Amino acid sequence: MWALAPFLARGFAQCGIAEISKDWQKVVMTSLTDINFSSVRPRRSVLSVPAGNHRALEKVRNLDCDAVIFDLEDSVAPEKKAEARENLRGLFKEKPLQGVERIVRINALETEFGRADMDLAVEISPDVVLIPKVEHVAEVQSVADILSEAGAPDDLAIWAMIETPKGVLNASVIAAADERLKCFVVGLNDLRKETGVLSQPGRAYLVPWLMQIVLAGRAHGIDVIDSVFNDFRDTEALEAECRQGRAMGFSGKMLIHPTQIELANRHFGPDPKAVKDAETIIAAFAEPEARHLNVINLNGRMVERLHLAEAEKLVAKAKFLAERKKSS
C-alpha cells in the first residue's frame, strides 16, 4: 500500500485514500498535465458576494463553490461599509460554510475603511484576507504584520488581487512577500480600464499578462485564480473562458453569480480519467521493484518520481472533494 508524501498527509490526515488499481497498462500521460494547483485545497470556484447584501449572504450556505469572497470593497458603497462589516460579524458568529474557504476582501489599508476591515478580520478569523489592487510587497507585508501583531493564527492566509499594470509587472516579487500569501486573484476589469485593452473573446491581448501572473505565482508555490466573467447569462462564452483558463494553468475562477459555479467546478476540477491514471502511477511506484527508483517505464512511457508527487496531489484533491460532498 502506498502512502501520501508527508506534506500531503499533514493536510489530509482526516481523509483516507482509496485503494488503487494495479492496471499499469492503461496509463495515459494526460494525468500529468491535469494538475493546475499549487496546494491540494480545491479552489475551482471562488464566488464573490457583496457583504452588504443580506439575501446573497444567506444564499451562499447552500452553494457548491469551493470558496466565497465576502466583499467589503468595490461592491459596497462608502456609506454602507460599516453595515457590511456588521453583516459579516453576525454571519461569522454562526460559523458558516464549514469545508468552504471563507475569504474577506478588505479595502486597501490606505483608505479610511482599511483598518476597520482588518480589525473585523482579526475578530471573526476567516480563512483568508484578500487585499485589493496589490502593486508592492509592502502592501502584503503590512497586512501580515497586523495579523501577526494581533495574534491571528498562522493559518489565516493572505491572498492578493493583481489588477493593475504595476501589479502585473511586480507579480514575481509580490509572490514572495510573506509566508501567509497563498494565492493571487486576477482582476481584469480594473486592468482593462487602466490599460485601455478592450474586452474581447479569447482575451488575446491579455494572455501575455495573464501568463506572467501565473508564472510568478507558480514560481513561488502559490495558486492563481482567473478573473471574473461578467456576463453570467452567456454560458457558452463562460465555458470557453474556463477551458482557456484551465489550459493556461489557473487553479480556478473568480465568479460573480451562482449559476457560474457548475461550469467552473467541472472545468477546473479533477477529471475522473486523470484521477484513475494518477492512481495507476501511484500504484506503480508502490511496487517493491520501483520503491527506490526515480524513473519507471509504464508501457513504453517514462514516468518520473516528480510525476508521482503530482499524482498524489491530484488524488488527494479528488478525495477531499468527495469527502466534502459526502458530509454536506
Side-chain angles (χ1 to χ4, degrees):
M1 176 64 66
W2 63 276
L4 281 172
F7 77 99
L8 291 173
R10 286 194 296 270
F12 284 85
Q14 77 277 18
C15 297
I17 301 299
E19 280 289 326
I20 56 178
S21 167
K22 292 188 177 182
D23 184 6
W24 293 18
Q25 303 306 312
K26 296 182 181 178
V27 171
V28 179
M29 299 306 289
T30 53
S31 63
L32 305 182
T33 62
D34 194 68
I35 303 162
N36 291 329
F37 52 96
S38 297
S39 73
V40 291
R41 183 154 195 169
R43 290 168 179 149
R44 306 165 299 170
S45 49
V46 182
L47 179 67
S48 182
V49 178
N53 187 326
H54 277 286
R55 186 180 175 192
L57 292 176
E58 287 299 319
K59 283 186 174 182
V60 299
R61 302 173 189 273
N62 302 314
L63 299 177
D64 189 29
C65 50
D66 292 334
V68 175
I69 297 172
F70 298 103
D71 186 30
L72 294 169
E73 198 221 6
D74 280 351
S75 67
V76 180
E79 65 273 15
K80 296 289 187 179
K81 300 285 190 185
E83 179 183 332
R85 285 192 292 271
E86 286 304 311
N87 290 345
L88 292 190
R89 184 173 283 112
L91 181 70
F92 273 75
K93 282 181 181 177
E94 303 171 18
K95 297 183 179 179
L97 305 177
Q98 299 304 308
V100 175
E101 208 161 9
R102 302 162 304 164
I103 304 147
V104 172
R105 179 161 75 163
I106 64 171
N107 290 273
L109 287 183
E110 62 267 22
T111 69
E112 60 182 297
F113 311 108
R115 189 60 208 226
D117 291 349
M118 282 301 302
D119 290 343
L120 174 71
V122 169
E123 175 188 339
I124 66 177
S125 193
D127 299 302
V128 177
V129 171
L130 176 59
I131 313 171
K133 301 176 180 66
V134 175
E135 296 184 332
H136 303 288
V137 168
E139 293 164 273
V140 176
Q141 290 176 335
S142 294
V143 170
D145 289 345
I146 291 172
L147 292 175
S148 297
E149 289 166 8
D154 291 341
D155 61 356
L156 202 169
I158 294 171
W159 290 12
M161 294 283 302
I162 303 297
E163 47 189 334
T164 67
K166 284 184 181 178
V168 175
L169 292 174
N170 292 334
S172 182
V173 291
I174 293 169
D178 192 89
E179 289 184 356
R180 288 186 187 265
L181 183 63
K182 302 300 181 185
C183 190
F184 279 158
V185 181
V186 178
L188 288 185
N189 288 333
D190 281 284
L191 189 59
R192 288 188 184 105
K193 182 184 71 175
E194 293 201 19
T195 60
V197 173
L198 299 179
S199 179
Q200 296 177 330
R203 305 187 291 186
Y205 298 107
L206 294 165
V207 165
W209 301 338
L210 292 171
M211 292 307 305
Q212 187 171 337
I213 299 167
V214 171
L215 187 63
R218 298 307 183 202
H220 295 280
I222 66 174
D223 280 340
V224 189
I225 305 300
D226 198 2
S227 181
V228 299
F229 182 80
N230 294 316
D231 188 354
F232 60 84
R233 296 166 299 183
D234 191 346
T235 57
E236 185 177 340
L238 171 63
E239 185 161 20
E241 196 162 289
C242 285
R243 282 197 300 267
Q244 181 196 46
R246 179 60 180 263
M248 292 171 69
F250 284 104
S251 311
K253 194 160 185 67
M254 185 176 175
L255 310 174
I256 58 171
H257 196 276
T259 58
Q260 299 177 318
I261 293 172
E262 190 276 331
L263 275 176
N265 282 349
R266 175 152 38 98
H267 284 284
F268 289 97
D271 177 74
K273 185 177 185 300
V275 173
K276 184 177 180 181
D277 293 340
E279 290 174 338
T280 305
I281 291 171
I282 294 166
F285 272 102
E287 290 296 314
E289 61 269 28
R291 287 182 183 273
H292 301 292
L293 298 178
N294 286 329
V295 181
I296 59 175
N297 183 338
L298 292 181
N299 196 29
R301 294 182 174 88
M302 183 186 74
V303 181
E304 299 182 56
R305 195 161 287 275
L306 65 90
H307 298 143
L308 172 63
E310 292 175 336
E312 287 177 325
K313 283 184 181 181
L314 182 59
V315 171
K317 184 180 181 183
K319 187 65 179 180
F320 182 97
L321 291 168
E323 292 293 327
R324 191 180 75 185
K325 186 173 183 179
K326 190 187 304 181
S327 62
S328 62

